Amino acid sequence: MEAEGLGPDAVAIALARYHRYLDPPGPWRPPRYDEDWGYPDDHSEHCVCPVCARETLQGALEGLPGRGREDLERLVLRLDERFRRRTVPLPPDRLSPWAAEAWWRGRVMEDWWRT
């Protein structure tokens, strides 16, 4: 499955990143780039956070046609529900214009900035 503007493995890498944040119990810890994540072929090549993964998935959803989009959308919606349960929204007055454009950008992820 490949969307325009994304590399051939971008969706698989983004799904793996999103899953990796959602699956383990306890606080999220960013992994090392080289051993755990590799480098993706998309715009977020140096970002390992789930927000970057969700950005890539959104780009794929917007670029994929028909059945591929529907299948990916079903999967992403299930993951989004888990992401919402694992994060808390920032107050609207604390959102930057960029964060206000997409709901997943305005979420706080369990003290990940302290790692």
Side-chain angles (χ1 to χ4, degrees), residues 48-62:
V48 298
C49 80
V51 172
C52 290
R54 185 58 178 81
E55 290 287 320
T56 299
L57 293 171
Q58 187 63 32
L61 287 170
E62 292 170 2

Side-chain angles (χ1 to χ4, degrees), residues 12-76:
I13 291 168
L15 283 171
R17 287 179 177 176
Y18 211 22
H19 271 287
R20 220 171 198 172
Y21 170 72
L22 295 169
D23 286 343
W28 177 69
R29 299 287 183 241
R32 293 179 50 168
Y33 296 114
D34 54 346
E35 292 176 10
D36 295 320
W37 297 81
Y39 289 104
D41 250 346
D42 64 8
H43 64 277
S44 60
E45 93 178 55
H46 298 294
C47 184
V48 298
C49 80
V51 172
C52 290
R54 185 58 178 81
E55 290 287 320
T56 299
L57 293 171
Q58 187 63 32
L61 287 170
E62 292 170 2
L64 284 171
R67 177 75 188 242
R69 178 190 167 92
E70 292 168 10
D71 292 344
L72 181 60
E73 191 168 39
R74 275 192 295 278
L75 178 57
V76 170

